[in-house]
Amino acid sequence: MTDALAPALPLSLLASNREQFSAVFYEPVSVALQTKTNLHLHILRVQNGDFDLPGLYRVLKNNSVAYVLSRLNYQKALGDPGRMMEVAAKVQSQFRLPDSNAGEGGEVILYSLLEGHLGAPKVLSKMELKTSSGHYVHGSDGVHLLRIDENTYQLIFGESKMYGDAGTVGASPKRGIQAAFKSVGQVHDDGFDFDTWLVQSELLKEEVDEVNLATLSAILLPSATGGHDAIKKHNAFGLFVGYEIDVTDMRVEEMELDEIEVELKKRATDAITSQHDLIKQEITDRGLGIYPVHIYALPFAKRGVGDKAQGIDKVRSELAAQLGNHKVVK
């Protein structure tokens, strides 16, 4: 997690959830691609020759409660354990039925990374945006607030993409990166038309003390509060790119488990490293160089033979099924 001062808004994820989420990954590898652009590679731990997807699904199911519920409703739920099953059913009902295009799993991953790794508390999740602003359901997957120093903040607009190879081995990272930057480029072109009434009506219902409430209002609603000369707020982007690595050529039956682990990590790292120049070019071409950009990359393995090979599409469906307590659509 980024070393920072206490946030103006508390993290919505409990410390235990953040720790459990971090534990399913190896130590992340972070690279500063540009002055304000940082890429963080998170690789799932390998169990018996494969990335630990069951572990990921488990922690994301737990994190989904804080993602879906406002802080106020989450605190109410924590204070009334007798309603545990009711709350769980309510949370699960918010997720769509699983299919190969399901994207809500990626949104929960991005939320978990921005809170668990970057230390940027959510302002609003996409689930809250769904009920309040149809525009931002399409414009952002969530909004987070990162405190940089005593008086400087970043309002981070999130975007998550999970793309497979689509028939061309190795195309997955490139497709995801291009799609993510296309989306945030649109947010930039729209001029960050963030509805302050939305923040005012939803965020100010949160359980924060008067000092933090005044600070948040000055950061997020400067026009309503008259601004605060000492406080600086910059818009920023948080991107999650889930990509697949094709391992259908690996003869795992001829490899030791440690060899498989090393090879998976190498392929995952090489695949995203090869896209460094593309990321820089996307930022330049779309005029995004004025913004801080936090990029999170997470690889998944594509396994199987011929037409039966399955990768990130299968992960999307399984994750959607886990979050919504549905059966996977075959």
Side-chain angles (χ1 to χ4, degrees):
M1 181 183 295
T2 299
D3 293 330
L5 299 172
L9 190 66
L11 293 166
S12 57
L13 275 178
L14 299 177
S16 59
N17 292 120
R18 299 196 302 271
E19 291 169 2
Q20 291 164 11
F21 179 75
S22 297
V24 300
F25 299 99
Y26 295 104
E27 188 69 22
V29 178
S30 299
V31 179
L33 298 182
Q34 295 170 323
T35 303
K36 300 184 296 297
T37 303
N38 292 286
L39 172 65
H40 309 283
L41 173 60
H42 286 246
I43 300 177
L44 286 167
R45 294 187 180 277
V46 176
Q47 298 275 345
N48 284 99
D50 202 358
F51 294 126
D52 184 16
L53 291 176
L56 177 66
Y57 298 158
R58 182 181 65 252
V59 296
L60 291 177
K61 285 175 67 176
N62 290 332
N63 290 0
S64 69
V65 182
Y67 172 72
V68 169
L69 299 180
S70 70
R71 285 178 180 77
L72 181 58
N73 287 332
Y74 188 34
Q75 290 303 315
K76 287 180 179 178
L78 291 174
D80 189 2
R83 296 177 55 237
M84 186 181 304
M85 293 305 295
E86 177 188 341
V87 172
K90 171 65 176 177
V91 169
Q92 290 169 347
S93 71
Q94 300 301 301
F95 291 97
R96 296 192 299 266
L97 289 170
D99 60 54
S100 60
N101 295 313
E104 291 175 333
E107 293 157 19
V108 181
I109 294 174
L110 175 61
Y111 157 74
S112 301
L113 288 165
L114 290 176
E115 285 225 351
H117 180 261
L118 193 61
K122 78 166 183 175
V123 175
L124 291 168
S125 72
K126 191 166 185 178
M127 293 301 183
E128 293 164 284
L129 291 166
K130 273 184 177 181
T131 60
S132 304
S133 170
H135 175 73
Y136 255 85
V137 169
H138 302 288
S140 178
D141 287 343
V143 184
H144 290 246
L145 184 66
L146 178 65
R147 188 175 189 178
I148 302 301
D149 59 33
E150 187 69 32
N151 296 308
T152 307
Y153 298 83
Q154 289 179 12
L155 189 62
I156 301 174
F157 293 77
E159 186 65 41
S160 64
K161 298 295 181 185
M162 297 175 67
Y163 276 66
D165 282 341
T168 303
V169 174
S172 173
K174 179 178 180 180
R175 296 181 69 224
I177 289 167
Q178 289 177 325
F181 276 105
K182 180 179 179 180
S183 292
V184 297
Q186 188 62 54
V187 175
H188 162 71
D189 291 341
D190 289 344
F192 291 90
D193 184 23
F194 187 61
D195 294 330
T196 54
W197 69 264
L198 174 63
V199 179
Q200 191 169 29
S201 64
E202 296 296 329
L203 176 64
L204 302 191
K205 295 177 183 177
E206 303 285 8
E207 292 183 330
V208 294
D209 58 40
E210 290 185 3
V211 174
N212 280 344
L213 187 58
T215 302
L216 286 169
S217 295
I219 296 167
L220 301 171
L221 305 171
S223 61
T225 63
H228 193 302
D229 290 341
I231 292 178
K232 296 181 180 179
K233 185 270 291 180
H234 304 291
N235 291 330
F237 293 112
L239 311 183
F240 166 66
V241 178
Y243 63 98
E244 70 182 21
I245 53 172
D246 194 312
V247 298
T248 57
D249 62 322
M250 285 177 58
R251 297 291 301 276
V252 293
E253 63 274 13
E254 302 295 337
M255 302 170 67
E256 296 289 349
L257 290 175
D258 286 347
E259 290 181 275
I260 299 173
E261 180 182 14
V262 169
E263 181 64 17
L264 285 176
K265 292 171 71 175
K266 180 181 184 301
R267 292 191 184 198
T269 302
D270 290 347
I272 200 66
T273 299
S274 68
Q275 303 302 318
H276 285 183
D277 288 342
L278 173 64
I279 293 171
K280 296 176 186 177
Q281 193 62 49
E282 285 285 328
I283 289 173
T284 298
D285 291 348
R286 297 185 184 279
L288 302 175
I290 56 177
Y291 303 110
V293 182
H294 310 275
I295 306 171
Y296 286 91
L298 174 56
F300 300 93
K302 182 177 182 179
R303 297 179 177 278
V305 179
D307 294 338
K308 294 183 179 180
Q310 293 182 310
I312 207 166
D313 289 345
K314 180 172 181 286
V315 172
R316 274 200 300 258
S317 290
E318 289 180 345
L319 182 50
Q322 291 283 335
L323 292 172
N325 194 29
H326 302 296
K327 291 183 179 180
V328 178
V329 177
K330 300 296 185 180

